[in-house]
Amino acid sequence: MFTVKGIDPFGRSMTFACGTDEQAMEKTWELQRRGFRDIVVVDPAGRELGASAFERSLDIDWD
């Protein structure tokens, strides 16, 4: 299970559980659109990555 953490526009820390890496990536995009900051993704092994580093780690082909 992946976990996405961030701080909402009101300063509250929030955590969201995501079943797959794709769901976690979609959640980071959603949170960024909603004005969250300091967004990090924790993978099943416990490794914590910032949203942009997590996106790069997925090696998404945008072409």
Side-chain angles (χ1 to χ4, degrees), residues 31-42:
L31 295 180
Q32 288 170 346
R33 284 191 306 271
R34 292 174 48 196
F36 278 65
R37 64 185 196 283
D38 300 330
I39 300 170
V40 296
V41 179
V42 182

Side-chain angles (χ1 to χ4, degrees), residues 8 19 54:
D8 75 5
F54 179 70

Side-chain angles (χ1 to χ4, degrees), residues 42-63:
V42 182
D43 70 12
R47 186 174 59 153
E48 194 170 296
L49 294 168
S52 58
F54 179 70
E55 185 174 350
R56 286 190 305 272
S57 76
L58 294 180
D59 196 28
I60 297 172
D61 185 12
W62 296 104
D63 295 331

Side-chain angles (χ1 to χ4, degrees), residues 1-5 14-20 23-24 27 42:
M1 175 158 309
F2 289 83
T3 305
V4 179
K5 300 178 185 179
M14 301 189 77
T15 303
F16 304 89
C18 299
T20 67
Q23 290 172 336
K27 181 57 77 173
V42 182

